[in-house]
Amino acid sequence: PQDQYAAAFGGFNELQFNSDDTVSVRPNFIDFKKRMALEKNTLLFFTGMTRLASSVLSEQKANIDKKFETLKQMADSVPDFIKHLQNGDIKSMGEMLHEGWQRKKSLASNVSNPLIDELYEAGMKNGAWGGKVLGAGGGGCIMFLADPTKHAAIRLAAQKITDQHKLTDFQELPIHFVQSGAEVLYHGDVSRPILA
């Protein structure tokens, strides 16, 4: 459910999912220069692979008790990640994303697959500090944090892999961080609002 909160609130937020089914949202404001630097160091690709998130999440949910310590480590890493974000330490953020991705892959057998692993390793071998598959896993988008001087090599390595596997929908996606969340753009037909 965190994806919906991210879209609704926009910006950089710490989300706390409480036992009473409420969610606490704490915004983290970073200055323009740090936000621009983070954008410049981020690569985002649509892998061309799709899957039902529910199929990935059902196994993760079934494993909660077995994987509780891993989930706790992931949650406990949030304050350090926020500190790196506030300081503009993108390399450390990338290294933390790498650690988090390794933990996330251990939560269920279908979070990753050999092709995602190959794409991720290609990014890491070509200079990424870290990254992760976004959302539930199993397909969708993969993100890397890397010095911009490494972006061309990462793009080329990823493109070679996707060409070999005939992932014709693979593409790089532009990224731009915004402070605002979803907004109603048109009020003409209240039953069908358009969200941005």
Side-chain angles (χ1 to χ4, degrees):
Q2 67 268 17
D3 295 347
Q4 293 88 329
Y5 284 94
F9 285 92
F12 298 92
N13 300 295
E14 180 180 355
L15 306 176
Q16 181 174 317
F17 294 85
N18 303 309
S19 58
D20 63 357
D21 290 334
T22 61
V23 178
S24 303
V25 180
R26 184 182 332 167
N28 288 284
F29 299 103
I30 60 171
D31 68 50
F32 177 75
K33 287 182 181 178
K34 289 176 185 168
R35 191 173 80 220
M36 291 302 295
L38 182 56
E39 282 182 16
K40 288 179 182 174
N41 285 271
T42 302
L43 277 170
L44 178 65
F45 301 103
F46 173 60
T47 63
M49 295 179 278
T50 58
R51 80 290 179 247
L52 288 174
S54 58
S55 66
V56 178
L57 294 173
S58 60
E59 184 180 341
Q60 288 183 44
K61 187 174 181 182
N63 288 342
I64 286 177
D65 289 339
K66 289 191 294 187
K67 301 294 184 173
F68 182 78
E69 190 56 38
T70 300
L71 291 164
K72 185 175 182 322
Q73 289 170 348
M74 292 169 78
D76 288 347
S77 71
V78 170
D80 286 337
F81 192 85
I82 290 170
K83 180 182 77 175
H84 296 315
L85 174 67
Q86 293 287 344
N87 292 336
D89 186 352
I90 300 166
K91 182 179 181 194
S92 293
M93 290 170 62
E95 291 166 351
M96 288 191 74
L97 282 178
H98 176 71
E99 291 171 14
W101 173 239
Q102 300 310 310
R103 289 181 180 127
K104 183 173 176 70
K105 287 196 320 178
S106 76
L107 297 178
S109 63
N110 53 2
V111 168
S112 191
N113 60 48
L115 185 46
I116 289 173
D117 288 343
E118 189 177 352
L119 283 168
Y120 185 82
E121 287 306 314
M124 294 300 291
K125 286 177 184 172
N126 283 280
W129 295 311
K132 68 182 298 286
V133 170
L134 305 184
C141 293
I142 188 168
M143 181 191 85
F144 293 104
L145 289 181
D147 187 285
T149 62
K150 305 293 185 183
H151 287 194
I154 294 169
R155 283 184 191 105
L156 183 60
Q159 191 64 60
K160 283 182 181 176
I161 292 166
T162 56
D163 287 350
Q164 288 171 352
H165 293 277
K166 297 182 176 31
L167 290 176
T168 56
D169 291 334
F170 176 84
Q171 62 181 302
E172 184 174 353
L173 301 175
I175 187 160
H176 179 68
F177 298 114
V178 295
Q179 285 302 118
S180 60
E183 298 173 353
V184 177
L185 296 178
Y186 177 70
H187 284 284
D189 180 356
V190 179
S191 66
R192 296 182 63 191
I194 299 172
L195 299 178

